[in-house]
Amino acid sequence: MKKMKRRLWTSLMALTLWIATVGCSSASSIPENTAAPATPSEGSAQTIKIGVIVSETGPASSLGKPEAETARLLKKQIEGQLFNGKKVELIISDNETNDTNAVVIAKKMVSQDKVIAIVGGTQTSTSVAISEVAKENKLPLIALAPLSKEVLGEYVFQVTQSNATVLQTIIDYLKSNNITSVAWTNARDAFGQSGLPIFKELAKANHIEIVAVEDFDGAATDMTVQLTKIKPKKPGAVIVWSRPPGAGIIAKNFNQLGFDVPMIQSHAVSNEGFLKQVGAEGEGVLAIGSKMNILDALPDSEQKQLLMKFNDEFQKEYGTSPGPFGGYMYDGIQLVLKAISNGHESPQAIRDYIESGLGKHLGVTGTFEFSADVHDAAAGDGLALLRVAKQGWEPAR
């Protein structure tokens, strides 16, 4: 009996020692300096997520498609890289040019994906819609469309030039060509309606008369009624503030009606989609665009080298040019990556860094210098006045 008790006691001790040994072995596989993973908002997650929302399909796809392609290119490039010791993942979603979809996607990115910033919007109305989600959740939004001062704020930045910066390029062209009167046309959407109030101020300050103002449905298939009203006013130029497809329709109608004055379109048309839409009927139309559109005509500079690097990478991946809209996405994501690389990993820290720690930053869109008062900081040094030619875009002379 005593022998049996001794054997049982020995067996129990052996089992206890085996359990302890296994436990120590398991614990020793975790490095001593490894902390438990935190949520992205706490800034110590092993993978930091950035949300990307674009209109890859739907009416604004000519703008959103190169943005989505740029995001996928960067997603591929950063895979496996570490930014201040952390991996970064891009969560890319198509809102199908639907503002309601964009809001639903943004809320999911915040609540489920735990993103630390959102880059996106494609068009003005979508960016406005997403901005409400960003503000409510104190999350930085890098918008890809021009926004008003009322929408821009503590958590909302934009990488496109402001409407005032773009329109000043048009004013400079009018003055250099002694054009003192213009007609203005715009789509009845958020972007289309955003330009005229600013242009009126600039025109008045530069003694340029607005002899006619017409608007149109951006989804309409004919704008000859508006142009027929404009023609008798004999403007020195016609300005169009819209995006494709409406911008392409009015350009074709302009050609068909035999206008003999310049048509100047906004920066929302400086993409391959517009060129394909207008074809030969668009030749001679002017547009504000990016220097990305006319790389071969640029003198050598640090900016040109940056533009060429991005353009070459995009061309290799997709066989076409990224245009300014791909550039907006590139700059938007790079701003967030730069913040993370400098140790700023929470939404608040990223917001603070972009506003006050970034300083002057050269992007493919232009030079950025944000501040507490300026959240639409892209300078006009990335803009160019373009002309539609047989071979594509060329510098306007």
Side-chain angles (χ1 to χ4, degrees):
M1 188 71 176
K2 289 181 180 180
K3 288 183 179 180
M4 287 180 65
K5 286 182 179 179
R6 277 199 297 270
R7 285 176 189 155
L8 179 60
W9 174 254
T10 303
S11 298
L12 286 172
M13 287 298 294
L15 179 62
T16 301
L17 286 169
W18 179 81
I19 291 171
T21 302
V22 172
C24 291
S25 175
S26 298
S28 66
S29 67
I30 302 173
E32 291 182 7
N33 60 353
T34 300
T39 62
S41 60
E42 294 172 326
S44 56
Q46 294 308 303
T47 299
I48 300 172
K49 297 178 182 179
I50 303 170
V52 172
I53 303 174
V54 287
S55 302
E56 186 173 8
T57 59
S61 60
S62 65
L63 288 61
K65 186 171 182 288
E67 292 173 346
E69 290 172 337
T70 298
R72 283 194 288 269
L73 175 63
L74 290 175
K75 182 182 178 76
K76 180 179 178 181
Q77 289 178 347
I78 68 175
E79 188 175 357
Q81 290 189 40
L82 294 181
F83 296 82
N84 194 40
K86 304 293 172 65
K87 294 179 181 179
V88 175
E89 180 183 357
L90 301 181
I91 309 295
I92 306 167
S93 290
D94 173 20
N95 71 289
E96 303 173 332
T97 315
N98 183 297
D99 295 350
T100 301
N101 287 351
V103 171
V104 172
I105 292 167
K107 288 181 176 179
K108 176 183 177 295
M109 285 181 170
V110 173
S111 63
Q112 296 183 31
D113 299 316
K114 305 297 183 184
V115 300
I116 46 78
I118 293 176
V119 180
T122 298
Q123 54 182 0
T124 297
S125 62
T126 312
S127 296
V128 172
I130 298 172
S131 74
E132 295 302 318
V133 179
K135 292 173 184 177
E136 181 181 343
N137 291 277
K138 297 184 177 180
L139 189 83
L141 167 65
I142 314 299
L144 308 180
L147 301 172
S148 68
K149 296 293 184 183
E150 291 74 26
V151 177
L152 292 168
E154 187 176 3
Y155 291 92
V156 183
F157 303 83
Q158 73 178 50
V159 289
T160 66
Q161 281 87 0
S162 68
N163 283 341
T165 300
V166 175
L167 285 166
Q168 184 60 54
T169 305
I170 294 178
I171 291 290
D172 293 343
Y173 170 80
L174 297 174
K175 291 178 69 176
S176 65
N177 287 275
N178 299 313
I179 298 173
T180 57
S181 68
V182 300
W184 174 278
T185 64
N186 64 260
R188 299 187 200 108
D189 56 24
F191 172 69
Q193 295 174 331
S194 68
L196 183 58
I198 299 168
F199 184 74
K200 281 182 175 178
E201 293 181 11
L202 291 172
K204 183 178 180 181
N206 289 276
H207 310 291
I208 295 169
E209 182 184 5
I210 303 173
V211 298
V213 175
E214 296 288 337
D215 62 9
F216 54 84
D217 179 352
T221 57
D222 187 276
M223 283 80 166
T224 53
V225 171
Q226 289 87 345
L227 290 171
T228 300
K229 290 179 181 178
I230 286 172
K231 199 170 185 180
K233 304 290 186 179
K234 297 183 178 179
V238 176
I239 300 172
V240 180
W241 207 249
S242 182
R243 61 164 173 79
I249 297 295
I250 198 168
K252 289 183 174 184
N253 293 159
F254 181 83
N255 175 280
Q256 293 157 3
L257 290 173
F259 277 80
D260 60 356
V261 298
M263 169 175 274
I264 310 170
Q265 296 249 8
S266 79
H267 51 316
V269 310
S270 55
N271 55 66
E272 296 296 318
F274 179 77
L275 291 177
K276 290 177 182 177
Q277 182 188 4
V278 297
E281 290 182 285
E283 288 180 23
V285 169
L286 304 179
I288 305 300
S290 164
K291 288 180 177 178
M292 180 77 70
N293 297 104
I294 50 168
L295 273 175
D296 292 341
L298 300 179
D300 193 33
S301 67
E302 182 184 358
Q303 184 184 49
K304 181 178 180 178
Q305 295 304 312
L306 179 63
L307 289 165
M308 288 184 67
K309 180 179 182 297
F310 171 46
N311 183 71
D312 290 348
E313 291 171 346
F314 193 95
Q315 288 271 8
K316 183 178 179 180
E317 189 75 15
Y318 301 110
T320 186
S321 169
F325 296 93
Y328 299 154
M329 178 61 74
Y330 180 88
D331 285 334
I333 292 174
Q334 292 294 346
L335 288 177
V336 182
L337 290 177
K338 189 169 185 180
I340 296 169
S341 296
N342 281 278
H344 308 286
E345 300 167 5
S346 71
Q348 187 66 43
I350 289 169
R351 189 222 78 85
D352 293 346
Y353 175 79
I354 292 173
E355 182 181 88
S356 58
L358 180 69
K360 280 194 175 182
H361 172 76
L362 179 62
V364 297
T365 303
T367 302
F368 298 91
E369 190 169 11
F370 295 99
S371 69
D373 299 320
V374 180
H375 279 205
D376 53 350
D381 59 346
L383 295 174
L385 185 64
L386 315 173
R387 176 183 285 105
V388 179
K390 288 182 179 179
Q391 71 273 22
W393 297 112
E394 67 178 16
R397 306 295 182 188

